[in-house]
Amino acid sequence: MKVVVDMNKCQDHGQCVFAAPDVFSLDDAGHLAYVSDPDDALRDEVEEAADVCPLQAIRIED
Amino acid sequence: MNGRIVVAGASMGGLRAAEQLRAAGWTGAITVVGDEPHMPYNRPPLSKDVLAGKAPFESLAFTPKASTADVEWRLGAKIVAARLAERTVELDDGSALSYDGLVVATGMRPRRLRCPGPLAGRHTVRTLADAQGLRDELTRPGTRVVVVGAGFIGCEVAATAVGLGVREVTVVDPLPLPMVGPLGELPARALLKRHEERGVRFALGTGVAGFEGDDRVTGVVLADGSVLPADVVVESVGSVANTEWLQGNGLDLSDGVLTDEHLRAGGHPEAVAVGDVARFPNARYDGVPRRVEHWSIPTDTAKHAARTLAAHLAGGAVELAPFAPLPTFWSDQHDFRLQSFGAPGLGLEDVRVLDGEPEGDVLVGYHVGGRLVGVVALGGHAAALGAAKYRAHLLKQPALTA
């Protein structure tokens, strides 16, 4: 699974971190970091993360 | 799986319902009916970045999941009546659709002021067309803006208007402080100060008696008879549920659609409600049914309602825990953000500063019986992250009893 975050849209709300903590995190400065090729077993939580992003900045590209 | 589910409403709640029905295993037909001409789009930026011109209108469109590729979208069409007993809905073109399952996702529309005066120059902010029309007027030189209603939308629009460089922005509200209903006095006072420091004027503790102008609004008449000159008026005075089409079915429509703990309407196992039109009991709190207009709610309700409906249509029992979302909201205004988790509205009697101070970044806690039920942060990014630290704690709290 390939995950792409549009960093021009991202405003560091952090909702994705709650939904998929194995894939998304906030660094010490509070900015988003993420795993761009997570294991397919995490698909449900990545989809949830994409759903709850207030800026709709997360895309899952198979 | 045969049969059809009709989703009434093609905004975020309708889209999420369609997606979640597929995720819940429904393989039958899905027809989504919505009165706007657009595919579902994200509304929060309409009062913020899109109104400010920082993001294009095109950027708002949701990307529907691949699982919804075969969903039928009836856009620019409106459901005008429903007969739940016969499982049919009627559209405004006179046609009828029969269904096996119904999702009510028709949302809200802005409440309008009924006081006398011209309509031209008066705006609401709910749809893409609304925001486009308002942006056209706010970007004219020398514009004086009066915002009626100091809630979420009013405060956001006032901040955006200041950012656009309009000549003057005044927010009018009968309450003494902006957003005091959802926030309580302490954060609302801090919010007022922040807005005033950034150039927003306020006329608080006063209502609107009418509008001046012949063909188009030129001023807002306040309850004491004084007049605020206005080239543009924004009415942000709450919303009205789009439930007229459901009348005559014995449902409680007194404020949205009353549902049970699984989002079923009026004891109909084949009719569920999602989004801000649903008035549901939250098992996390006191069990009192409430509508919730936060952005997170369409997604949360759609997931639960889709499972409820798909299980029923598959002939099985609903084996879900009662719906118990943790509410969350945010609001971006000027250069700061309000970020909330939990239910601050339930703990307005006991509001405490948890971190920081009202003059700077501040984190406020709301309590019932000494127990934390919600937090609100006001300030920069660090303040919002401070609120997020309480989320896990709020999730772990046992349910409040009625």
Side-chain angles (χ1 to χ4, degrees):
Chain A
M1 175 176 35
K2 191 167 182 307
V3 176
V4 180
V5 179
D6 182 341
M7 295 309 284
N8 291 322
K9 283 187 172 179
C10 175
Q11 293 182 1
D12 301 318
H13 278 258
Q15 292 285 343
C16 54
V17 182
F18 305 133
D22 299 321
V23 178
F24 301 94
S25 58
L26 295 177
D27 64 20
D28 291 342
H31 296 308
L32 182 72
Y34 66 101
V35 180
S36 58
D37 55 348
D39 192 280
D40 221 47
L42 297 171
R43 180 170 296 271
D44 281 357
E45 60 179 78
V46 175
E47 286 196 353
E48 168 93 16
D51 284 352
V52 300
C53 170
L55 282 303
Q56 293 292 290
I58 301 171
R59 242 180 22 252
I60 302 167
E61 295 180 351
D62 280 339
Chain B
M1 212 176 286
N2 293 317
R4 168 162 51 193
I5 292 175
V6 168
V7 179
S11 189
M12 186 188 195
L15 170 64
R16 292 287 184 248
E19 291 173 341
Q20 293 298 334
L21 284 164
R22 287 288 181 249
W26 172 255
T27 54
I30 299 176
T31 301
V32 185
V33 184
D35 59 355
E36 285 188 75
H38 313 285
M39 284 294 283
Y41 59 91
N42 199 23
R43 296 187 195 275
L46 293 177
S47 53
K48 303 187 268 281
D49 280 1
V50 163
L51 188 60
K54 291 178 188 163
F57 285 97
E58 298 73 33
S59 69
L60 298 182
F62 286 113
T63 306
K65 291 193 187 8
S67 62
T68 60
D70 59 351
V71 167
E72 180 194 10
W73 296 88
R74 303 268 297 251
L75 301 175
K78 189 175 177 178
I79 295 179
V80 293
R83 288 195 296 276
L84 298 193
E86 293 156 46
R87 298 208 304 267
T88 60
V89 291
E90 268 172 47
L91 275 65
D92 55 354
D93 65 1
S95 65
L97 282 171
S98 61
Y99 62 78
D100 299 277
L102 175 68
V103 179
V104 177
T106 38
M108 312 291 290
R109 61 180 181 271
R111 188 166 80 80
R112 298 305 305 257
L113 293 168
R114 292 182 179 276
C115 46
L119 275 172
R122 290 164 53 189
H123 297 259
T124 57
V125 184
R126 179 79 184 180
T127 66
L128 234 160
D130 291 345
Q132 274 167 328
L134 178 58
R135 180 169 163 74
D136 288 347
E137 294 211 341
L138 289 182
T139 47
R140 286 181 194 151
T143 302
R144 292 163 303 181
V145 185
V146 172
V147 177
V148 185
F152 284 86
I153 304 275
C155 286
E156 289 176 1
V157 168
T160 303
V162 164
L164 281 170
V166 302
R167 188 160 119 209
E168 201 173 285
V169 185
T170 308
V171 180
V172 182
D173 198 290
L175 295 174
L177 291 167
M179 294 183 72
V180 68
L183 298 182
E185 186 179 330
L186 190 148
R189 196 171 294 287
L191 183 69
L192 172 65
K193 185 159 175 284
R194 283 167 177 264
H195 273 282
E196 287 179 334
E197 285 168 356
R198 288 159 179 80
V200 178
R201 302 174 191 200
F202 284 85
L204 297 168
T206 182
V208 168
F211 297 96
E212 287 198 330
D214 297 324
D215 300 334
R216 170 184 175 98
V217 69
T218 59
V220 177
V221 185
L222 302 181
D224 65 2
S226 63
V227 177
L228 294 171
D231 306 298
V232 175
V233 171
V234 179
E235 297 178 24
S236 44
V237 291
S239 46
V240 179
N242 294 318
T243 53
E244 288 83 354
W245 63 281
L246 284 167
Q247 283 170 4
N249 289 286
L251 300 177
D252 181 338
L253 304 175
S254 53
D255 178 24
V257 183
L258 178 65
T259 76
D260 67 8
E261 74 280 13
H262 290 304
L263 298 159
R264 295 173 293 211
H268 291 268
E270 78 294 349
V272 293
V274 303
D276 48 11
V277 77
R279 183 158 60 98
F280 61 86
N282 186 336
R284 184 175 296 283
Y285 300 115
D286 52 10
V288 175
R290 295 183 182 90
R291 289 190 316 95
V292 182
E293 297 190 11
H294 303 329
W295 181 86
S296 58
I297 286 298
T299 300
D300 288 342
T301 50
K303 188 173 253 187
H304 196 100
R307 288 175 182 169
T308 304
L309 184 55
H312 167 70
L313 294 176
V318 178
E319 289 170 2
L320 287 171
F323 187 49
L326 183 78
T328 177
F329 71 76
W330 85 95
S331 176
D332 289 325
Q333 303 173 17
H334 305 284
D335 52 344
F336 57 86
R337 174 173 294 169
L338 284 153
Q339 176 71 57
S340 174
F341 295 96
L346 297 181
L348 293 170
E349 302 294 312
D350 185 357
V351 180
R352 308 176 202 167
V353 173
L354 301 179
D355 196 13
E357 51 194 336
E359 293 72 31
D361 283 7
V362 66
L363 178 66
V364 178
Y366 300 77
H367 304 76
V368 173
R371 186 203 295 177
L372 187 72
V373 292
V375 294
V376 171
L378 170 59
H381 187 46
L385 292 177
K389 293 205 174 87
Y390 283 84
R391 182 178 177 275
H393 175 71
L394 290 164
L395 273 171
K396 273 184 272 176
Q397 293 271 38
L400 282 180
T401 44

